[in-house]
Amino acid sequence: MGAHTRNNILYCLFWLKATFALALSLAGLFYLSWRVYDLHTKASNPAGSDSPNILQPVTIVDPGTGKVAESCMYTDTTFARLEPQFTGKMMPGFHLDWSYETPTVMKKKLNDFTPAVFNTFMDLIPGTFTHGFSEDLLNWFGSECGRTGSMLELTMQVGATLDTVTQDMYDALATSITKINTGYGVPVYLRFCHEMNGDWTMYGYQPILFKAAFRKMAEAIRARTNMTAMVWGPNVGITYPFTGGGSVLLPRKGTPDFIAMDTNKDGEITNLDDPYSPYYPGDDVVDWVGVSLYNYPLDNCYNCRVLPTYFADYLTGEGAALEGVTTVTPAYTEVHNFYQKYCAGAPNKPMMLPESGSPYIAERVARANAQSVSESELKMQWWEQLVSAENLAKFPKFKLAVQFEEAKMMSPTGIPESFNWKVTNTTQVLASFNALLDRSASTIVSAGKLKFGCDGSVKQVKP
């Protein structure tokens, strides 16, 4: 083969590859364009034949005054914003992996039971998008909840130091959330800067900045809508101050944050310091309180049964479930009894578990022992405590638990393991969860049984 012929062949191959690559790129752009159009269409008109519980747009602002209408003012002195007006019952919710699952899909999985709340995580990062977050994506989350008549839990994380968040960003976020309230009739639980008492968030261990930021966010929301509730959501503080090698360090001695966190004034930050109160922004800006609470097994536990008092013990800071986890003394319980501090008396706030679950760890199956149980048993034993009539009577302000429907790799023992919280991922576990919903009908409330008001009221629809 001559050099001329070889060059011609290479020339042809080059342009074939270039043409093929261009075709793939155009196909990709076409798909993305179609996907964006499809999502926009659905968000603009979420109603449809498969959406019998579709919510309707709501007018909140009086066009004459430009302020919240008189009929939409929050005046209830008995129930907080978006607190359902019942006791002895709770609302199941779900956190989804939204890359492949939506509220409509989850509703079908649950045999037409509609979770009252769906959670999503978003990031507020100065310097990105127009106002630090994707307004289109947030709108889509709201529209998808509108399709099933559910509420949206928005967990908004700040991916920067809190002093870089501008008032313009607070206002833009509040405006976007209000559009979800008005455009789709969807109430929103805004969990702003959650788990601020841990070392794994960029805003952790910074109570002074956090409280100021939370108050700014609450003020921006309150000026626009009462269909959004502010949720203060620390991590459960049983092993506080954690110090697990996260992204932030404990503050230096003598600094304002250190002084605030050293609640017993012994010159150290230990598990005898209050894991919650240094970060509490104030009764006037907090509608709900909530702790991230999971059934986390001990290192030597190989998918073992859930201790029957785990939920209650971790809420109150005492009990058998804390043995082997921490040393319980009266001084310890006094500062770790979350429910007593925030729900039992003043400030009498409604409480949620904004993310929760019981993980099954496949790598531990081979080391099963007499305490080990099946995946279904492990996950249902946790949920049985959350829907228990006994626990709901003991903790009447506990009204919402959001199932963390994901799986991810974690290394609590230094060895990567797959933690799987999902209750709808296999036929057997899903059947067990649907059976739990069926037999818990007297203690759980679905979205279809709720009526939302522009004044922030959530009432149970009578049969």
Side-chain angles (χ1 to χ4, degrees):
M1 181 184 297
H4 181 71
T5 303
R6 186 184 302 111
N7 288 339
N8 284 339
I9 292 174
L10 292 174
Y11 180 79
C12 290
L13 288 175
F14 169 79
W15 282 108
L16 281 173
K17 288 169 63 178
T19 302
F20 182 68
L22 178 62
L24 281 178
S25 299
L26 290 174
L29 288 172
F30 174 78
Y31 173 77
L32 289 174
S33 299
W34 172 84
R35 183 61 175 157
V36 170
Y37 171 77
D38 181 56
L39 293 179
H40 173 74
T41 301
K42 290 177 178 178
S44 300
N45 182 26
S49 59
D50 61 342
S51 308
N53 293 331
I54 187 67
L55 300 174
Q56 300 299 318
V58 174
T59 299
I60 292 178
V61 175
D62 185 333
T65 64
K67 298 180 179 180
V68 175
E70 190 71 27
S71 60
C72 296
M73 295 296 289
Y74 169 72
T75 58
D76 198 324
T77 58
T78 303
F79 297 96
R81 289 176 182 84
L82 304 191
E83 178 183 359
Q85 298 181 11
F86 54 68
T87 57
K89 299 180 181 182
M90 58 84 69
M91 303 179 295
F94 269 78
H95 162 71
L96 303 179
D97 182 342
W98 294 78
S99 64
Y100 72 94
E101 210 155 43
T102 64
T104 301
V105 171
M106 182 55 67
K107 178 181 177 181
K108 291 178 180 178
K109 282 186 176 182
L110 301 179
N111 294 337
D112 237 21
F113 178 91
T114 307
V117 176
F118 288 98
N119 175 69
T120 188
F121 287 86
M122 288 190 69
D123 292 315
L124 179 63
I125 305 176
T128 64
F129 299 97
T130 304
H131 298 104
F133 67 99
S134 173
E135 296 172 67
D136 290 338
L137 184 59
L138 175 55
N139 181 67
W140 179 69
F141 289 136
S143 73
E144 288 299 306
C145 287
R147 289 173 172 275
T148 57
S150 304
M151 294 181 278
L152 172 66
E153 178 194 349
L154 172 60
T155 299
M156 182 60 77
Q157 309 169 112
V158 174
T161 55
L162 290 174
D163 54 2
T164 63
V165 181
T166 65
Q167 187 62 49
D168 182 57
M169 294 176 192
Y170 291 116
D171 290 338
L173 179 56
T175 297
S176 291
I177 291 172
T178 302
K179 288 179 180 178
I180 292 174
N181 294 157
T182 58
Y184 308 120
V186 171
V188 176
Y189 294 104
L190 176 56
R191 185 168 63 139
F192 185 71
C193 289
H194 75 306
E195 299 177 1
M196 76 305 295
N197 60 339
D199 64 355
W200 50 88
T201 63
M202 292 188 69
Y203 46 81
Y205 294 161
Q206 300 166 57
I208 294 176
L209 271 179
F210 165 75
K211 289 189 290 187
F214 191 98
R215 294 189 68 86
K216 288 179 181 178
M217 189 72 255
E219 289 164 4
I221 289 291
R222 299 277 175 83
R224 293 165 172 80
T225 179
N226 286 306
M227 283 188 73
T228 291
M230 292 297 299
V231 180
W232 176 65
N235 195 67
V236 68
I238 294 301
T239 58
Y240 181 85
F242 311 112
T243 59
S247 58
V248 296
L249 301 174
L250 287 172
R252 297 190 311 275
K253 286 188 177 183
T255 61
D257 283 331
F258 182 94
I259 294 170
M261 292 170 63
D262 181 20
T263 57
N264 65 359
K265 306 306 176 187
D266 66 350
E268 304 289 341
I269 298 175
T270 69
N271 68 355
L272 292 180
D273 288 304
D274 193 325
Y276 307 117
S277 65
Y279 309 89
Y280 187 65
D283 295 346
D284 59 324
V285 291
V286 173
D287 295 306
W288 283 65
V289 297
V291 284
S292 303
L293 175 55
Y294 294 84
N295 168 50
Y296 271 123
L298 297 175
D299 293 343
N300 61 351
C301 172
Y302 306 114
N303 295 315
C304 55
R305 67 182 181 87
V306 181
L307 294 175
T309 59
Y310 192 111
F311 170 65
D313 293 353
Y314 270 64
L315 274 189
T316 59
E318 61 181 345
L322 304 188
E323 294 177 10
V325 177
T326 189
T327 300
V328 177
T329 64
Y332 175 91
T333 299
E334 182 180 0
V335 295
H336 284 79
N337 192 333
F338 183 87
Y339 190 85
Q340 180 64 39
K341 289 169 69 69
Y342 298 104
C343 309
N348 197 37
K349 300 293 184 180
M351 191 199 84
M352 67 170 71
L353 301 188
E355 54 181 277
S356 186
S358 184
Y360 187 73
I361 306 168
E363 290 83 354
R364 299 188 183 185
V365 173
R367 292 174 285 173
N369 56 35
Q371 297 299 315
S372 302
V373 295
S374 70
E375 182 178 1
S376 291
E377 290 173 313
L378 180 63
K379 295 174 177 181
M380 294 314 109
Q381 286 174 2
W382 176 247
W383 265 95
E384 289 284 4
Q385 294 186 32
L386 305 186
V387 301
S388 155
E390 179 182 355
N391 276 337
L392 291 171
K394 185 176 182 179
F395 305 110
K397 299 297 281 187
F398 167 55
K399 298 192 176 185
L400 169 63
V402 178
Q403 164 67 27
F404 187 73
E405 195 67 3
E406 286 201 33
K408 60 183 178 180
M409 299 300 293
M410 298 180 66
S411 306
T413 63
I415 301 173
E417 296 177 303
S418 56
F419 279 59
N420 182 351
W421 292 271
K422 296 182 178 182
V423 296
T424 66
N425 61 317
T426 68
T427 301
Q428 183 176 2
V429 178
L430 175 57
S432 296
F433 190 74
N434 280 332
L436 178 141
L437 294 177
D438 289 341
R439 65 176 177 269
S440 305
S442 62
T443 59
I444 63 174
V445 179
S446 69
K449 301 297 183 182
L450 299 172
K451 180 180 179 181
F452 312 127
C454 69
D455 58 352
S457 61
V458 177
K459 300 178 180 179
Q460 187 173 4
V461 179
K462 295 182 179 180

